[in-house]
Amino acid sequence: MVRTIELNKRQEQILEIVKENGPITGEQIADQLNLTRATLRPDLAILTMAGFLDARPRVGYFYTGKTGTQLLTENLKKIYVKQFQSIPVVVPENVSVYDAICTMFLEDVGTLFVVDKNSYLVGVLSRKDLLRASIGKQELSTLPVNIIMTRMPNITTCEKDDLLIAVAKDLIDKQIDAVPVVKKTSKGDLEVTGRITKTNITKAFVSLADE
């Protein structure tokens, strides 16, 4: 269920006036409501910033014809990874599974990114990977993570200028908890610069609702 933007009574009246008479100036709207232009200024600003109305100099306000759902969709397509990415937690590929488990709990994350000696991405470790290794009979303190990690090209990545909604779809479609934010080098290697998790996505949606 998508919750639309809730408008107060006066804002709804303004919308109806603009729908029927637009383009119409702020002064003309104020006259119809028997209010001053200054009194209406905050309502007109909210309706314009929310996308219900558009305004053109020397022309006035007119109704965009967009529903709350359409406006929400447009706003979602304006949110980028770089706005909500968080700091990545990385481990070297030769670290033991035992140490990786400790790191995951100490850092309170669900995914670790594995890098080589040049700090380039070579793998991803999820809770499932570490749990699967723990159930086996191997000695966790001597088993390196590069034996159990997910490797390229099976790693889903994103870049800072990607749309956040596209990353959210990847998390759902591929049933993963996090995606590394990477920067490609001139040689094609991937430098890990951030991470996007389900928590980051949730924060973005809450932020959008607050705005």
Side-chain angles (χ1 to χ4, degrees), residues 50-87:
F52 288 105
L53 299 181
D54 202 349
R56 294 178 183 173
R58 297 186 296 278
V59 175
Y61 294 92
F62 61 93
Y63 182 60
T64 62
K66 296 174 181 177
T67 65
T69 301
Q70 289 173 318
L71 294 171
L72 177 60
T73 300
E74 288 184 0
N75 285 330
L76 286 174
K77 292 180 179 179
K78 296 176 183 178
I79 303 177
Y80 294 90
V81 165
K82 59 187 174 185
Q83 295 172 255
F84 288 93
Q85 70 181 56
S86 53
I87 298 173

Side-chain angles (χ1 to χ4, degrees), residues 34-211:
N34 294 318
L35 298 171
T36 65
R37 175 71 173 81
T39 302
L40 286 186
R41 188 172 289 115
D43 293 312
L44 290 170
I46 289 171
L47 293 172
T48 302
M49 288 188 293
F52 288 105
L53 299 181
D54 202 349
R56 294 178 183 173
R58 297 186 296 278
V59 175
Y61 294 92
F62 61 93
Y63 182 60
T64 62
K66 296 174 181 177
T67 65
T69 301
Q70 289 173 318
L71 294 171
L72 177 60
T73 300
E74 288 184 0
N75 285 330
L76 286 174
K77 292 180 179 179
K78 296 176 183 178
I79 303 177
Y80 294 90
V81 165
K82 59 187 174 185
Q83 295 172 255
F84 288 93
Q85 70 181 56
S86 53
I87 298 173
V89 180
V90 301
V91 294
E93 60 182 335
N94 59 354
V95 75
S96 70
V97 171
Y98 175 82
D99 287 337
I101 292 174
C102 292
T103 300
M104 182 171 284
F105 277 96
L106 289 173
E107 297 291 343
D108 192 23
V109 295
T111 305
L112 299 174
F113 304 123
V114 185
V115 296
D116 62 17
K117 61 182 180 180
N118 296 314
S119 297
Y120 296 139
L121 179 69
V122 292
V124 171
L125 281 172
S126 68
R127 285 194 184 100
K128 292 180 181 178
D129 295 324
L130 296 175
L131 178 60
R132 193 178 299 115
S134 300
I135 294 175
K137 297 181 179 180
Q138 295 130 315
E139 177 57 49
L140 301 184
S141 60
T142 58
L143 179 67
V145 294
N146 59 16
I147 300 296
I148 67 166
M149 68 184 185
T150 300
R151 296 174 175 273
M152 295 295 284
N154 298 317
I155 300 175
T156 300
T157 64
C158 68
E159 298 185 10
K160 66 176 184 177
D161 292 323
D162 289 344
L163 286 174
L164 195 63
I165 189 65
V167 180
K169 290 178 180 178
D170 282 337
L171 292 177
I172 294 172
D173 293 342
K174 299 183 180 180
Q175 298 182 4
I176 52 180
D177 295 326
V179 172
V181 183
V182 300
K183 178 182 178 181
K184 291 184 180 180
T185 69
S186 58
K187 295 182 179 180
D189 295 310
L190 301 179
E191 178 184 351
V192 182
T193 61
R195 65 185 167 114
I196 288 293
T197 67
K198 292 178 180 178
T199 300
N200 298 125
I201 302 292
T202 302
K203 287 180 179 179
F205 292 163
V206 170
S207 174
L208 183 61
D210 288 343
E211 292 175 3

